[in-house]
Structure formats: structure tokens, C-alpha cells
Amino acid sequence: MWYFRSPQIVYGPDSLSFLQTIGISRAAIITDSTLAASGIVQKVIQSLPENASSKVFSGFSPEPDFLQIKSNLEGVNAFRPDWIIGVGGGSSMDAAKIIFAMYEKPDLQVYDITPLSPLGLRKKSRLIAVPTTSGTGSECSWAAVISEREEKRKNELASPEILPDYAILDPEMVINLPRQQTVSTSVDAITHAIESYTSSWNNPYSDALSEKALELILGSLVQVVEGNGDIESRDRVHIGASMAGLSFSNSQIGMAHALGHAFGAIFKKPHGTSVGLFLPEVVALNSRASRERYDRLNRIFPDSFREGNLQSSLKKLFARIGQPLTVKEAGIGRKEMESNRDALVSLAMESTGMLTNPYEAGTDEVRETLERCYGY
Ligand SMILES: [Fe+2]
């Protein structure tokens, strides 16, 4: 027996106006300090019902840690919201999920958030995710990443009960996303679509979502990255990224995420840049087990990027949009890389992404794959 889990998805231009229709009276908005100072959070507040009160909690850095969650939680408890709205990229939406769980159950410890035991949430409030990037898929997932700064690692919490009730995909929220963030987050989405398609937990629902997600993203990405994208192009990439998120949250990811999580935690590089860095070489390694599935995905690439195999098509696309293809291009020197190599390999080997990777790679193969991405 299997399940397919999804929030209710509201999408398209003007979808933020949906917030008028669900009886919100007290909204706690969880976001980061940059977005709080921008007009984006203001758009969400203006979309709330006229008589609703709202409070913005923005004391989070891009990768929230437990202390930040705890210090914001006090304010949320005092505000007593009936809805919690995560506005931002993956970090803000993940922070909102954790705060939602801990607001609902004040005795809950953060590592009690596991799929193994029922949490009994939704007694006081419900949860909405409004992504402001097109990539992480956090709005559709029942996982949340929390950083442990001392140990330079990220831990994933998961429970079906932290899946948002609603995901609102309004392209107005991403229309002015800067180029670099557009590239990094869309590369993350492409990696979700590909890794979920070849995950050992792939299934008919995730397959269909991955294929359509790639078609939507690849069909409009260059226009969007190069600033020629209209709202319709942004809308297609936004929906595609969310579909890729829905796909991997119902099937899992693989080794590019295992290496990327480790690399991002050690070198403080954006998540999408980190996973994309390893994707082409991981595809090359995994082709031993997934050649036919990769060929199917390769056929979805537009003519202008399609090469003889998926690895080459990805490299061509990444070169065009400015995604680094090597560790060197990502700005990490050889010495720095060498001194962290073993830590990176062992962090990657511990990652859950290795469990569902289609090819069972050993430590030596992971190290060799990493070294093929050096570029020195
Ligand atoms: Fe990702």
C-alpha cells in the first residue's frame, strides 16, 4: 500500500487573493529578514482579509537553526495565530513547518518530528506555504531541513502532518527574482525531477509529475533566466518546480542531493548550485542502473539542448544558464576542497539520498564522482 500526499494547490496569476476566502483572522507570517524588508511580504499582507491581523516573524538566516526557531516561537505563541504562513524559499517554508508543529504542541522536541509517530497537529491553526522562488518544492513536501551550525551539517525532519494545507503558487511572487537565484533554484527543481524519476521509490504519480515538470521548466527557463520572460513563462517554471517538488516528496531523491547537501553545508553555497554541480556526474555513474529512464528524460529536452545522453544535455543547458559545472567554477580552491574531501564523502554517505539512489555506490565511487567534478 502506498500514499500520494499533496497540499491543495492554488496557482496562477492573482492566486494570492485566495487568502481572502478561508476565514483567516490571525496570520503569523514566517519569512526571512530580506523578504520582510521587501515588497513581497507586503503583497501577502495586503491579500489578507481586511479585518485580519498579522504579524511578521523574520528572525531567520537563510539556513535556520534550532536557536532561531526557538526564539521566534515565543513570539508566535504570544500572538496566537489561527494560520501560519511561510513566505519565502525553502528555508522560510521549512521554518514555518517546524514552528507550526511546535506551536501546536508546546511539549514537542524538534527531533520528535518524525514520520514514525502521530503528532496530533491542527488543533489551533493550519499551515500555508507561499514560495518566492521556483525550485525547492518545500511548499509541497512534508520534510523540513534544520541546520546544526556547530557540526556543519543539515538534518531533515519529516512528518506527513507538516505538509502545508495549501500551497499558493502566484507567479507575481517570482517575477522579479534575480538571475542568480533563478538559476540556482531552477537547477534544484531540475535535479528534483531527474532524481525522483530514477529513485528506487519512483512510482506512476512521481513519474508523470517529473516528466511534466521538466517539460514546463526546460521550455521556458532560458527566457526566464535571460530576463525576457513574461508572467506566463514565470508561471510555467513556477508550476514545473512545484510539480518536481511534489514528485520527489512522494518518491525521494538521490546521490546528487547527498553530495549537494554535504557540499552546501561545508562551503555555504546555495542548495541548487550545490546539487546541480554534481548532477551530471551522478547521472553518468547511475547510468549503469538507469540508462533507459535517463534516455526517456533526455527526449524531453528542447532540440537546442538535447545531446546524445542526459549527462551531456545537462552540461549544455547548465553552461548556457550559468550554473557552475565544476567545483573550481563554484569558487572553491583545490586546497580547500582537498582538506574537506573526506568529511564531504562521509557526510554524503550518511545522507538518506544514498538509500534511494538507483545505483548502490560505495565510498570509493562517491569519492571518484566528487573528484570528477573538481575541474582543476
Ligand atoms: Fe533540492
Side-chain angles (χ1 to χ4, degrees):
M1 181 171 69
W2 290 86
Y3 300 92
F4 179 80
R5 293 193 165 95
S6 170
Q8 286 193 50
I9 298 173
V10 188
Y11 61 96
D14 195 36
S15 45
L16 267 183
S17 64
F18 173 76
L19 292 171
Q20 299 273 338
T21 67
I22 46 176
I24 296 174
S25 65
R26 298 177 72 79
I29 296 175
I30 312 296
T31 188
D32 63 45
S33 46
T34 315
L35 282 173
S38 76
I40 287 191
V41 167
Q42 223 31 54
K43 274 190 196 172
V44 176
I45 293 170
Q46 283 161 4
S47 303
L48 294 169
E50 227 167 86
N51 57 356
S53 49
S54 63
K55 191 158 185 185
V56 176
F57 298 89
S58 61
F60 302 97
S61 57
E63 307 273 342
D65 61 25
F66 181 58
L67 285 178
Q68 291 169 348
I69 298 281
K70 218 171 168 185
S71 62
N72 281 274
L73 188 59
E74 287 170 24
V76 173
N77 285 335
F79 180 63
R80 293 180 291 105
D82 58 352
W83 287 85
I84 292 178
I85 309 180
V87 179
S91 301
S92 296
M93 291 187 282
D94 285 1
K97 291 173 188 173
I98 300 169
I99 283 189
F100 166 66
M102 298 183 83
Y103 165 65
E104 286 281 325
K105 301 279 281 194
D107 295 336
L108 198 72
Q109 300 299 309
V110 73
Y111 289 112
D112 292 339
I113 302 175
T114 78
L116 305 175
S117 47
L119 303 176
L121 309 184
R122 292 176 173 73
K123 302 285 192 291
K124 300 191 254 187
S125 62
R126 290 204 283 160
L127 180 65
I128 298 174
V130 183
T132 61
T133 64
S134 304
T136 70
S138 173
E139 69 279 7
C140 287
S141 90
W142 44 289
V145 176
I146 188 162
S147 294
E148 288 193 20
R149 291 196 199 288
E150 299 292 298
E151 297 174 37
K152 286 189 175 175
R153 67 191 295 159
K154 299 175 186 180
N155 288 312
E156 193 173 273
L157 311 171
S159 160
E161 293 178 58
I162 61 170
L163 179 74
D165 294 281
Y166 296 103
I168 301 182
L169 310 177
D170 192 324
E172 287 288 345
M173 302 302 276
V174 289
I175 191 78
N176 294 318
L177 191 67
R179 178 179 177 135
Q180 209 179 339
Q181 263 181 293
T182 302
V183 170
S184 161
T185 49
S186 60
V187 166
D188 188 24
I190 289 167
T191 310
H192 294 153
I194 293 173
E195 293 214 290
S196 55
Y197 199 71
T198 49
S199 152
S200 55
W201 289 7
N202 71 66
N203 56 75
Y205 289 98
S206 63
D207 284 355
L209 286 162
S210 286
E211 288 174 5
K212 189 67 186 176
L214 266 191
E215 183 192 311
L216 287 169
I217 297 167
L218 297 176
S220 295
L221 185 56
V222 171
Q223 288 150 275
V224 162
V225 165
E226 294 184 348
N228 306 320
D230 45 20
I231 193 86
E232 286 78 19
S233 316
R234 279 282 181 186
D235 197 29
R236 283 192 288 273
V237 173
H238 207 37
I239 291 171
S242 196
M243 280 183 171
L246 205 46
S247 178
F248 90 81
S249 61
N250 283 282
S251 64
Q252 292 305 305
I253 42 178
M255 187 171 147
H257 268 80
L259 278 165
H261 275 152
F263 185 85
I266 290 176
F267 296 113
K268 305 277 170 270
K269 292 288 176 188
H271 171 75
T273 308
S274 303
V275 298
L277 197 52
F278 301 109
L279 182 65
E281 289 302 336
V282 167
V283 164
L285 178 73
N286 286 346
S287 288
R288 300 169 193 191
S290 295
R291 164 71 69 190
E292 195 261 330
R293 283 196 158 241
Y294 285 148
D295 286 347
R296 262 193 259 165
L297 292 183
N298 195 36
R299 286 196 284 276
I300 297 172
F301 272 65
D303 291 349
S304 48
F305 294 114
R306 194 185 318 115
E307 296 283 306
N309 59 53
L310 182 61
Q311 182 199 19
S312 304
S313 302
L314 281 168
K315 284 186 169 178
K316 193 170 182 184
L317 172 74
F318 287 178
R320 170 71 186 271
I321 61 175
Q323 156 67 22
L325 289 166
T326 63
V327 170
K328 185 183 175 191
E329 281 176 25
I332 307 297
R334 186 178 190 111
K335 236 172 146 183
E336 202 185 347
M337 189 65 215
E338 281 294 316
S339 61
N340 284 286
R341 185 193 60 181
D342 291 346
L344 205 152
V345 171
S346 75
L347 267 182
M349 288 302 290
E350 287 170 20
S351 164
T352 50
M354 295 304 291
L355 300 175
T356 44
N357 194 57
Y359 173 75
E360 201 177 320
T363 307
D364 288 346
E365 285 166 309
V366 171
R367 188 184 300 108
E368 284 158 21
T369 302
L370 174 66
E371 286 172 352
R372 273 199 295 278
C373 302
Y374 274 13
Y376 302 111

